[in-house]
Amino acid sequence: MNYRHIYHAGNFADCLKHIVLTRILTYLQKKDKPCFCLDSHAGIGAYDLSSEEAQKTGEWQQGIARLMGPDAAPLPANIAQMCEPYLAIIRKLNPEGPITTYPGSPLLMAEMARQQDRAFFVEKHPDDAETLKQTIRRDRRFHIRQEDGWNAIKGDLPPQERRGMVLVDPPFEEKGEFNRMIWYFTQGYKRWANGIYCLWYPIKARRDVDEAAGMLKAEGIDNILRAELVINKLDTAKRLNGTGMFIINPPFMLHDELSALLPFLAERLGETARRSHLEWIAPPR
Ligand code: SAM
C-alpha cells in the first residue's frame, strides 16, 4: 500500500475520470428517484495542489490547469457544458481563483448528492480513510469505511435504491490488477446487473489493455463502452502513457458526449501523442 494519489491528483487521468463521473451523476439525477454511489477505492477526497508532494510531480499542471488554469484557452461551448458541474465544484472549492484544492471522486459525489441520495466510500489505507472522514462532513447520506474495497463490490451490492453507480479506481501497483478488477466487477454485476460501473485503468502498454478488454468481452455482458485517452507515445511501458475506463451500462448520451470530449481532451492534454479511442466492447442490447 505505497500508492499516494496526492502525487497524481488533477492529472490528465483524473480529469477524464472525474468528468465521466460527473456526467453519469448528472444523468442519474435527471429523475427524482434516489441514487446510490459506491466508490471502492476512494482516496482522501481532497488534494492540496500546493503541497510538497503535488508540487514534486506537478502533474496537475498538465491536467486540470490546462482546462481551467489562468493560461488555459476558453473551452468550446459544447465541452464547457459537458465539464459542468465538474468545473463548478472545483471553482466552488477554490473561491480565491487559483486552484489549490482538487476534489477526489468521493468529494465530487458528496458535492453532487441530493438529499435523497446515498454514497459509500471505501478506503483501505488507515491514514487515508481517516483523512477522508475529515474531508467529507458527517452526514447521514455518506458512509466511510476503512476496509478492502474489493470486498465491498461484492458485499454492498445491490443497493436498496437499485439506481446508481460504482466507481472502481484501484492504484494498479500490484500485479494482476486487471484480472482482479474484472473478477470483482463480475461478482458485483451478478448481484446488480442494472448498475452503472466505471472501471478505471492506466495505459502503459496497449497489450495489457487489449487483453483486459478481451477478458471483459468473454464475460458475455452487454453494454460495455471502452473510452481512452493517450497522451504519450506507447514506446515505453514505464510511464503512464494514457488512461481509460470500461463503462458498463453507460447512460445513453455518454457515447455521443465522449465522441466529442475525448478528441478534445487528447488535443488539450496530449504531450508526445494526442489520441483517443472509443469503442463498444459489447454493444447495448
Ligand atoms: N478514486 C480516487 C479519486 O478519484 O479521487 C482515487 C483513488 S487512488 C487511485 C486509489 C486508492 O485506493 C488509494 O487511496 C489507495 O490507498 C486505495 N486502496 C488501495 N488498495 C485498496 C483496497 N484493496 N481497498 C480499498 N482501497 C484501496
Side-chain angles (χ1 to χ4, degrees), residues 1 3-5 14 17-18 21 39-45 47 102-106 108 122-125 128 147-151 167-174 177 200:
M1 300 257 332
Y3 182 88
R4 282 287 175 280
H5 195 64
D14 263 8
K17 172 177 54 184
H18 293 152
L21 167 65
D39 192 346
S40 62
H41 296 71
I44 61 173
Y47 297 89
Y102 182 81
S105 49
L108 290 167
V122 185
E123 168 57 49
K124 189 172 178 188
H125 197 292
D128 288 0
E147 60 180 53
D148 191 315
W150 295 119
N151 289 333
L167 174 65
V168 184
D169 183 19
F172 276 83
E173 60 179 0
E174 287 171 35
E177 204 79 316
W200 181 90

Side-chain angles (χ1 to χ4, degrees), residues 15 19 63-69 72-73 75 86 264-265 268-269:
C15 292
I19 294 169
I64 188 60
R66 288 197 189 166
L67 296 183
M68 62 184 298
L75 301 177
Y86 169 62
F264 168 80
L265 290 178
R268 184 65 75 95
L269 307 180

Side-chain angles (χ1 to χ4, degrees), residues 41 150 153-154 168 170 172-188 199-202 207-216 218-219 246:
H41 296 71
W150 295 119
I153 299 170
K154 287 173 71 182
V168 184
F172 276 83
E173 60 179 0
E174 287 171 35
K175 277 199 162 152
E177 204 79 316
F178 273 115
N179 296 50
R180 194 173 298 114
M181 184 161 76
I182 291 169
W183 190 83
Y184 278 99
F185 155 67
T186 56
Q187 300 307 304
L199 314 183
W200 181 90
Y201 54 83
R207 199 185 54 192
D208 297 343
V209 184
D210 287 345
E211 275 176 18
M215 275 190 284
L216 254 187
E219 293 294 336
F246 297 126

